[in-house]
Amino acid sequence: MERGKVTLEERPLGATIQRWFPAPPELVYRNWIEAEQIRHWFATDGYEVTGCEIDARPGGKWRVDFRSSTGHVYFERGEFREMVPGKSLALTLTQVDGAHTGPETLITVTFEASRGGTDMMFHQVGYDSSLRRDGNAEGWQECFDKLIARLTSSNA
């Protein structure tokens, strides 16, 4: 499977991922803002989404809870900053793992109709280390692989 292009930035620490999805931009966008959709693709390999709350509006909060196959639990939370239906969104993301809270990062995502599907440009900045950035970039690739699988099934 074509995994797209990943660019890792040093200043500020960030990552850009370009991916193509086999669905129209409106559907790919909805998979980012609807709890029922997020449950199916927003976890890295070895984890599952166990809870998801989304208030999909600028200023609205979101939270996704995860559990690994070995029982490890953590959650991610944030706030929607900007939303243009079917076109773009911006949101914050903070990972919370027990007593450790990671940095607040900013994610921007754009969606553009292309080749009978959607070109998505994902950009996340605000990491506190290149190790965290690199691990998250790989995790996002795993999530996007799941999203492609979901969009190619009849369940999307």
Side-chain angles (χ1 to χ4, degrees):
M1 173 185 315
E2 170 69 31
R3 291 197 84 196
K5 179 181 177 187
V6 176
T7 305
L8 303 176
E9 297 103 20
E10 294 301 320
R11 290 196 179 117
L13 278 173
T16 300
I17 301 172
Q18 298 172 277
R19 292 292 292 260
W20 180 84
F21 295 91
E26 296 77 15
L27 181 57
V28 180
Y29 175 87
R30 281 198 328 262
N31 271 270
W32 277 89
I33 64 165
E34 295 176 0
E36 183 52 39
Q37 304 302 327
I38 287 171
R39 292 178 183 279
H40 296 284
W41 69 270
F42 207 78
T44 59
D45 292 348
Y47 282 82
E48 67 176 324
V49 172
T50 58
C52 184
E53 298 174 13
I54 305 288
D55 181 7
R57 61 181 175 83
K61 307 287 188 201
W62 67 271
R63 177 180 166 136
V64 179
D65 299 304
F66 305 92
R67 180 177 38 248
S68 75
S69 55
T70 61
H72 176 249
V73 296
Y74 77 100
F75 68 90
E76 295 175 338
R77 60 176 160 79
E79 177 181 312
F80 288 97
R81 297 279 176 89
E82 297 176 17
M83 303 176 76
V84 179
K87 301 283 185 197
S88 65
L89 58 90
L91 61 143
T92 61
L93 183 151
T94 301
Q95 296 172 326
V96 180
D97 188 355
H100 181 266
T101 299
E104 179 180 81
T105 61
L106 177 64
I107 294 172
T108 56
V109 188
T110 59
F111 310 91
E112 183 176 324
S114 173
R115 298 174 279 141
T118 301
D119 279 329
M120 183 192 78
M121 179 74 73
F122 168 95
H123 184 69
Q124 186 173 18
V125 294
Y127 293 107
D128 56 359
S129 73
S130 58
L131 183 64
R132 183 185 302 269
R133 176 205 58 202
D134 297 354
N136 276 255
E138 179 57 31
W140 282 114
Q141 288 283 52
E142 294 170 3
C143 291
F144 298 153
D145 290 346
K146 291 178 182 180
L147 180 53
I148 287 173
R150 178 156 177 78
L151 291 169
T152 56
S153 73
S154 61
N155 298 320

